[in-house]
Amino acid sequence: MVKPESTEIRIVLVEAQGPLNVGSVARIMKNMGFYNLVLVNPQCDPHGAEARKMAVHGVEILERATIVQTLPEALKGCQRAIATTSLDRSLPTHLENPKNALPWLLGYSAALIFGREDRGLTNVELNYAQRFVRIQSDDAYPSLNLAQAVAICCYELYQAQLNQDNSPQSQPPDSEASLDILEAYYQDLETMLLKIGYLYPHTASSRMEKFRRLYNRAYPSTQEVAMLRGMIRQINWALSNYDRDDS
């Protein structure tokens, strides 16, 4: 049975290069009961003969796949997102095991993000996720094929779904702000902090990463983010009036 679109986990492929991989991902998703495929700026034809041949009975997933140009578009409306990354990626946060981390997505509007076959996700793209998983493999040959990585993660998600009734949620799903709402707040915050001189253009990106990690641990609600954005609007209003009074 297809799950309601609002809570169905999105499998997001960023700039997938191989149609055989995309088709294989569709087949794997069908095997594990996932139907929401999102392709970010695909570098191949996801509806071509090669992709359809590999999809087998998952062709319907290819046909209904959403195609967008940027990762933020792919995550619009999501409350939670996990990105996959490799061991050699330098991240100031813990890389988790898929079995332990992926159940955190269940019951929410959520996304599981996979990077390019040859170089994965960029640091900027990783900023859009809240948690990160690495599939452990032998050091002699640690690199996994994209479809293999998706298969492992979808299997772990499927197993977690079977036990979902025994895993109570930490808070009601509706209470968490979506990632696009948080992203708008981050943009407001960065603009204001640059304006007052707390941030400098050449270091703003690295400083903002720290703010993102802080809020990723807090899971603010939509109402709380609205309050934070209201504070920024009031600060900007006060700064504008201070400038006029000072002149």
Side-chain angles (χ1 to χ4, degrees):
M1 178 183 294
V2 178
K3 298 180 288 302
E5 194 73 24
S6 61
T7 58
E8 186 185 354
I9 293 173
R10 303 176 195 180
I11 304 299
V12 179
L13 307 184
V14 176
E15 295 192 346
Q17 299 164 316
L20 299 180
N21 269 332
V22 175
S24 296
V25 166
R27 177 176 182 172
I28 290 159
M29 290 174 62
K30 184 67 177 288
N31 289 149
M32 299 299 161
F34 297 100
Y35 295 84
N36 196 347
L37 175 62
V38 183
L39 303 172
V40 178
N41 191 27
Q43 302 298 295
C44 63
D45 181 4
H47 301 131
E50 288 183 310
R52 297 174 72 88
K53 180 179 179 180
M54 291 302 294
V56 192
H57 296 295
V59 168
E60 63 184 279
I61 294 173
L62 291 179
E63 291 175 343
R64 60 176 288 191
T66 301
I67 298 178
V68 297
Q69 290 303 305
T70 67
L71 184 53
E73 290 179 81
L75 300 178
K76 187 174 182 180
C78 285
Q79 297 166 300
R80 295 185 171 188
I82 290 178
T84 57
T85 188
S86 60
L87 177 63
D88 59 357
R89 180 73 66 179
S90 176
L91 283 172
T93 190
H94 178 57
L95 298 184
E96 301 178 73
N97 183 292
K99 185 174 183 178
N100 296 332
L102 295 181
W104 178 74
L105 299 175
L106 297 178
Y108 292 82
S109 179
L112 178 57
I113 309 166
F114 296 86
R116 303 158 187 81
E117 289 95 327
D118 57 348
R119 54 191 175 92
L121 295 164
T122 67
N123 287 335
V124 172
E125 290 162 344
L126 288 169
N127 279 335
Y128 293 111
Q130 297 149 304
R131 293 171 71 173
F132 309 93
V133 299
R134 176 196 173 237
I135 300 170
Q136 293 182 325
S137 53
D138 194 90
D139 291 340
Y141 189 37
S143 178
L144 287 173
N145 171 271
L146 173 62
Q148 293 172 331
V150 175
I152 291 169
C153 290
C154 283
Y155 172 79
E156 294 293 355
L157 276 170
Y158 179 74
Q159 292 297 312
Q161 281 184 329
L162 297 180
N163 301 317
Q164 188 176 23
D165 291 341
N166 299 323
S167 302
Q169 294 168 338
S170 58
Q171 59 177 311
D174 290 343
S175 69
E176 288 188 16
S178 64
L179 298 177
D180 47 301
I181 289 175
L182 273 171
E183 186 61 32
Y185 166 66
Y186 295 143
Q187 298 302 318
D188 288 348
L189 180 62
E190 182 175 359
T191 300
M192 189 265 291
L193 294 178
L194 284 166
K195 184 177 181 179
I196 65 175
Y198 180 83
L199 294 181
Y200 297 95
H202 64 286
T203 58
S205 178
S206 61
R207 283 292 186 95
M208 287 303 300
E209 285 182 14
K210 295 179 175 63
F211 280 110
R212 288 171 182 270
R213 291 197 297 273
L214 186 155
Y215 287 107
N216 283 346
R217 294 195 300 269
Y219 310 128
S221 69
T222 301
Q223 292 77 15
E224 288 167 338
V225 176
M227 178 185 67
L228 292 169
R229 296 190 73 185
M231 290 171 58
I232 291 176
R233 286 193 296 271
Q234 187 66 22
I235 291 170
N236 284 325
W237 177 86
L239 289 171
S240 298
N241 280 274
Y242 175 81
D243 291 341
R244 286 200 298 266
D245 292 342
D246 191 54
S247 62

